[in-house]
Amino acid sequence: MTDLFTLDTIGWVEVAVDAGIDAGGHGLHYAIDQELAHLQVGDPVMVPLGKRNRPVRGWIVDRLDTPPPDAPDTLKHVLNLVENAPALPKASIDLARWMASYYITPLGTTLAAMLPPRGAASGAPRQRRWVQPATHPPDTAGRLGANQAAILGHLRDLPRNTLPVERLQLVKTLQLKDASGIDRLVKRGLLEEVSAPEQDSDGPARHQLTEPQHEAISAISASATDGFSVHLLHGITGSGKTEVYLGLIQHTLDRSKAALVLVPEILLTPQTARRLERRFPERRIAILHSGVSIGRRKAAWNAVAQGSVDIVLGARSAVLAPFSHDRLGLIVVDEEHDASYRQDSAPRYHGRDVAVRRGQLAACPVVLGSATPSMESWSNATHQGRFQLHRLRDRAPGLTRPRVRIVDRMDERRQDGGPTRSLGPTLRTALSKTLIEGGQALLLLNRRGWATHIACQKRTCGWVMRCDHCDAALVFHRKRELDAGGTLRCHHCHSQLRMPRKCPACTGGLARLGEGSQRLEDEIAQLHPDLVPGEQLVRLDVDTRGSADKVTRVMDALRDGTIRVLVGTQMIAKGLDLPGVTLVGVVDADTALHMPDFRAAERTFQLVAQVAGRCGRGLQGGQVVIQTCCADDPAIRLAAAEQFDAFAALEYEQREAAGLPPCRRLARMVLEHARLPALRDDARTLVDRLRAADAHWDVTPAAPCPVARIADQHRWQVEILADSAAALHRGLVAARAQRAFEGFASISIDVDPLSLQ
Ligand code: ADP
Ligand code: ZN
Ligand code: ZN
């Protein structure tokens, strides 16, 4: 052990360790000896950690010319360079430093999130190439192998208007091992490579821009030469925001820079990828999200780090792609309001806000687009004047505004008599009519499972089935193959239980109450037995989503009209551009309205306005039916009327009066402990420390979280409100320096939190 300290020191480095331990958002200092003199910033190394000098992985985040002030003589030495592991680009380190500081998270954990997944790289980002049978094939081509004959035969049988075919698509269609057979046919002159087709079944690759689209593109691209700026593109659903992104990307590529495009949901990547690939067929486009295989993600990471990718498209974590500051020329955050941009496990961050910071570091424009901007971005673009606002107030040419009807669920139930159903008479009639007319329907119910709770049928008993480990009711999920017809699941700790036959309290019968997306699916199957389940009637939510491939298949089936009715949770409300959809039904607009969350109205507005916007994208127009018990609620009324400005003004006024974000800034700490008395002590200590750390912020008294127990851990929260981001940050940095967050069984710190569960 002693030899750790006796080596000849020739320099010093700051190392961020993967283990999540650091010195207040900075790395730890180590000495290096002659053998490691070549170490550079970004290099992965092994260092000894703790009393036992456990070797852990880390990255060099700085090299120092003079010994660090903290105990230079007793500094431990870096053990070795990790071979075969990627070095991190300087831009990643800059970004991670900011994230670690802003979100009060360890630098090493943040850097670890910027690495490619571990495993071998495979399938580098492809450059698309198109082939077709040669117009003038050679007279004597010689004998063909079975593989090559099959490829050539397939292409010769295809109708002319479907040629050329994309080379790798052909590999997929014919289930070939690789493209070598195709390449050999090209070499032999039997196939020819041609440029990308101008137009395919999706219509033209580019549109004649409308005046507002044109204005937005020129204004934003004009600012690109000035470096960093943030733009909020507020365009109603179907106003052609994507077309604006495409125009801006074009300008970016023309300046030999790369573009980063973020979408909130994996589901949206195939649709956007397709539009990017059609518009920029010769460019290298990398797709980065958790649904892409590890090998492909790793290859994409390498290619981005080498500067050989033109466009990265991905979900939240793609904001951490290893672009250099120089290379990055544009960041687009589509559907910027979406809560999926928020990562709720360490390192906690908001993808949109990190994107803004990234744009600042790279000195490039950042474009945030949405039909329903977050109150944060809206206030930045209006009250604060930090973002430039661009607006698309009308639908793109050819798109019509859907007819929107709000129906009162109580009235409808009275009309209906009989058993309670998810679809009231208005929506039932609209659905039948849509199906007869050959349209497609999208039905949204933002609750998973079949029944939201199981309760005793006897009123006098009142027993409700709850999770043993959480402060939550269990949700019934249908599984036909089981005797009991399904299982009970906890949506918090993911435990599963068998459905009991009788009430354990009084042996009475049990009722399955509350509607979930599964029950809705069953109800529609009963109403329309002619729809083939799983083919024409499809449900899409976290439970059925599965792999990225499956999502692509669902999207294709929607596009080609196979799916007639799609049932789903909020996942289907996001950004989908589906021309065949003529009916959108919101089964229960109130799911978010009564949540104990100051953003309940904002969420409701977003959900209703977004899902309504999925309709009327084709030439037939369409209709939207919104079922609610709160027909007069402004969030629902204004969403139906597509009046964002009015809603935002009302909402802002309320937030201002209540002193809530975006008017003030919020941080939330959640403490967890298996024993309640210990947790109360922890909470009291934390509140005292936070009040002592900064006199200018407000610290709320500690209280149980809305979900007060998860997986046998009791949960209490403390909230901090400050007048500005800077004030909040100052206080948090001071608190961290005073070790205010140390010594608890479990604490999570959430700066600008979205989820308040
Ligand atoms: P948004 O993202 O704002 O909801 P999209 O960009 O998806 O809207 O555009 C909606 C539809 O309108 C798309 O099918 C798109 O191809 C079409 N579109 C967009 N801009 C134009 C235009 N200038 N002319 C004709 N069609 C357009
Ligand atoms: Zn549970
Ligand atoms: Zn009972």
Side-chain angles (χ1 to χ4, degrees):
M1 214 190 94
T2 48
D3 60 339
L4 280 169
F5 305 106
T6 55
L7 299 168
D8 291 332
T9 298
I10 63 115
W12 302 269
V13 287
E14 182 188 345
V15 176
V17 295
D18 200 349
I21 292 164
D22 67 9
H26 296 278
L28 307 171
H29 287 128
Y30 286 89
I32 49 174
D33 49 80
Q34 188 59 47
E35 241 172 78
L36 294 174
H38 59 279
L39 282 183
Q40 291 178 5
V41 170
D43 280 343
V45 290
M46 296 300 288
V47 293
L49 189 70
K51 284 200 194 78
R52 297 180 176 193
N53 291 314
R54 184 166 54 95
V56 297
R57 184 176 69 154
W59 296 270
I60 311 263
V61 293
D62 200 8
R63 272 202 72 147
L64 292 79
D65 297 329
T66 51
D70 50 338
D73 306 328
T74 54
L75 275 188
K76 296 175 191 175
H77 282 244
V78 173
L79 298 173
N80 58 279
L81 177 73
V82 181
E83 304 285 344
N84 306 324
L88 280 166
K90 171 155 183 314
S92 300
I93 294 172
D94 292 345
L95 190 65
R97 275 199 194 276
W98 177 80
M99 288 172 69
S101 166
Y102 186 80
Y103 292 108
I104 312 288
T105 130
L107 186 56
T109 319
T110 313
L111 280 170
M114 298 188 174
L115 287 179
R118 293 193 199 196
S122 68
R126 55 199 179 131
Q127 198 151 6
R128 308 218 306 160
R129 287 153 64 183
W130 279 264
V131 292
Q132 62 184 24
T135 338
H136 305 289
D139 298 334
T140 50
R143 264 174 55 88
L144 291 180
N147 194 18
Q148 291 180 44
I151 298 168
L152 194 60
H154 171 82
L155 285 175
R156 283 187 174 150
D157 288 344
L158 284 179
R160 284 253 10 118
N161 63 357
T162 59
L163 293 172
V165 174
E166 208 276 313
R167 180 170 151 273
L168 294 178
Q169 192 57 50
L170 192 59
V171 171
K172 247 197 209 162
T173 315
L174 296 179
Q175 299 185 334
L176 305 173
K177 216 166 64 244
D178 52 33
S180 60
I182 303 170
D183 295 345
R184 247 171 274 132
L185 285 167
V186 173
K187 238 189 218 143
R188 297 172 83 160
L190 290 164
L191 292 184
E192 61 190 10
E193 232 179 271
V194 294
S195 57
E198 244 312 289
Q199 177 152 357
D200 59 28
S201 56
D202 286 345
R206 75 172 70 201
H207 294 284
Q208 175 77 38
L209 294 176
T210 63
E211 194 49 39
Q213 284 174 328
H214 182 75
E215 271 169 27
I217 295 173
S218 355
I220 299 170
S221 55
S223 76
T225 45
D226 303 335
F228 171 64
S229 52
V230 187
H231 306 264
L232 177 62
L233 178 63
H234 174 227
I236 59 169
T237 54
S239 58
K241 292 183 287 296
T242 312
E243 214 57 32
V244 172
Y245 307 150
L246 294 174
L248 291 169
I249 293 167
Q250 179 75 66
H251 280 280
T252 310
L253 300 175
D254 289 348
R255 290 187 300 124
S256 307
K257 299 248 179 179
L260 171 59
V261 181
L262 302 177
V263 291
E265 167 62 56
I266 303 183
L267 192 64
L268 292 177
T269 48
Q271 167 184 311
T272 311
R274 192 160 157 142
R275 283 172 83 169
L276 288 169
E277 282 168 352
R278 294 183 57 233
R279 180 69 180 265
F280 307 108
E282 267 100 44
R283 297 295 187 153
R284 280 149 311 178
I285 302 173
I287 298 180
L288 281 176
H289 60 69
S290 58
V292 177
S293 77
I294 288 179
R296 294 192 81 88
R297 260 187 288 156
K298 181 143 187 189
W301 193 96
N302 290 339
V304 176
Q306 283 154 17
S308 60
V309 167
D310 301 305
I311 303 170
V312 164
L313 167 68
R316 175 182 65 223
S317 63
V319 75
L320 309 178
F323 280 112
S324 68
H325 293 322
D326 288 352
R327 180 88 179 102
L328 197 54
L330 173 73
I331 306 177
V332 172
V333 183
D334 191 22
E335 311 291 351
E336 67 84 27
H337 63 277
D338 201 293
S340 317
Y341 281 120
R342 177 77 205 192
Q343 166 136 322
D344 277 326
S345 54
R348 289 161 202 274
Y349 64 89
H350 197 302
R352 174 198 62 219
D353 299 342
V354 173
V356 169
R357 177 61 189 172
R358 201 154 192 188
Q360 194 173 29
L361 288 168
C364 74
V366 179
V367 179
L368 314 178
S370 177
T372 55
S374 61
M375 288 308 294
E376 281 75 13
S377 296
W378 183 249
S379 125
N380 272 321
T382 55
H383 302 272
Q384 318 279 339
R386 283 200 200 106
F387 298 174
Q388 294 173 45
L389 182 62
H390 310 268
R391 312 193 77 167
L392 306 176
R393 294 173 194 272
D394 301 306
R395 293 214 148 63
L399 270 67
T400 50
R401 176 166 155 62
R403 214 153 28 89
V404 181
R405 266 194 288 174
I406 299 181
V407 298
D408 188 309
R409 295 196 92 179
M410 292 305 165
D411 282 355
E412 294 231 312
R413 275 191 197 146
R414 250 169 264 136
Q415 276 180 45
D416 237 4
T420 318
R421 296 196 255 204
S422 291
L423 300 188
T426 311
L427 198 43
R428 281 207 304 276
T429 313
L431 179 61
S432 302
K433 195 154 165 281
T434 302
L435 291 174
I436 290 167
E437 288 167 356
Q440 286 173 297
L442 221 60
L443 297 173
L444 171 94
L445 179 57
N446 203 18
R447 270 195 226 102
R448 288 189 292 132
W450 200 87
T452 53
H453 56 288
I454 303 292
C456 180
Q457 278 173 340
K458 271 200 216 150
R459 267 169 216 273
T460 47
C461 171
W463 180 86
V464 173
M465 183 103 192
R466 303 184 71 82
C467 179
D468 286 340
H469 311 283
C470 306
D471 186 15
L474 289 174
V475 176
F476 180 73
H477 284 252
R478 163 80 90 204
K479 252 198 178 154
R480 284 183 212 289
E481 58 278 21
L482 298 182
D483 284 349
T487 56
L488 292 169
R489 280 204 234 156
C490 173
H491 284 186
H492 295 284
C493 71
H494 309 291
S495 62
Q496 293 209 24
L497 276 184
R498 231 192 285 193
M499 172 81 184
R501 289 184 193 282
K502 295 180 207 144
C503 170
C506 74
T507 71
L510 292 177
R512 295 179 290 196
L513 304 174
E515 48 194 1
S517 54
Q518 262 188 337
R519 188 195 290 235
L520 175 61
E521 184 187 15
D522 283 1
E523 188 177 311
I524 295 165
Q526 265 170 20
L527 285 170
H528 297 278
D530 45 318
L531 292 175
V532 183
E535 222 168 274
Q536 294 178 305
L537 170 59
V538 171
R539 175 168 58 91
L540 197 61
D541 53 32
V542 189
D543 301 322
T544 63
R545 164 160 86 178
S547 65
D549 263 4
K550 160 128 198 231
V551 169
T552 311
R553 277 203 302 280
V554 169
M555 292 303 301
D556 286 346
L558 270 171
R559 214 165 277 282
D560 71 21
T562 313
I563 295 180
R564 305 297 308 286
V565 181
L566 181 71
V567 173
T569 52
Q570 41 124 11
M571 199 178 274
I572 64 168
K574 301 180 181 184
L576 295 175
D577 180 25
L578 302 163
V581 172
T582 51
L583 171 67
V584 163
V586 181
V587 173
D588 182 1
D590 313 335
T591 45
L593 207 52
H594 308 301
M595 296 268 194
D597 183 330
F598 69 88
R599 290 192 179 89
E602 184 180 354
R603 294 260 176 284
T604 302
F605 182 92
Q606 287 167 351
L607 192 68
V608 173
Q610 286 289 343
V611 74
R614 303 305 124 217
C615 191
R617 287 173 171 253
L619 297 173
Q620 304 100 313
Q623 66 167 322
V624 179
V625 177
I626 299 168
Q627 300 190 144
T628 171
C629 295
C630 313
D632 290 329
D633 192 280
I636 291 170
R637 210 164 26 82
L638 294 171
E642 220 166 37
Q643 293 189 5
F644 175 78
D645 291 35
F647 172 75
L650 195 68
E651 187 66 16
Y652 191 85
E653 210 174 278
Q654 293 182 358
R655 302 274 183 95
E656 201 167 31
L660 287 166
C663 309
R664 302 187 84 198
R665 298 298 276 246
L666 177 69
R668 177 181 187 240
M669 332 256 136
V670 173
L671 293 164
E672 291 187 329
H673 207 293
R675 287 182 308 112
L676 205 48
L679 181 58
R680 283 206 198 94
D681 287 346
D682 275 2
R684 219 168 297 128
T685 309
L686 180 63
V687 169
D688 289 346
R689 288 181 184 174
L690 289 172
R691 290 198 172 134
D694 191 311
H696 300 291
W697 62 15
D698 292 328
V699 180
T700 64
C705 297
V707 184
R709 191 173 51 114
I710 293 181
D712 294 319
Q713 298 294 312
H714 295 281
R715 310 170 72 237
W716 276 47
Q717 64 181 15
V718 176
E719 289 181 338
I720 303 174
L721 282 154
D723 284 342
S724 68
L728 183 64
H729 185 61
R730 248 194 326 271
L732 289 171
V733 168
R736 167 143 81 173
Q738 294 165 18
R739 302 172 167 256
F741 309 122
E742 291 173 29
F744 298 115
S746 158
I747 181 169
S748 64
I749 304 169
D750 214 348
V751 180
D752 304 331
L754 283 188
S755 163
L756 301 177
Q757 272 199 344

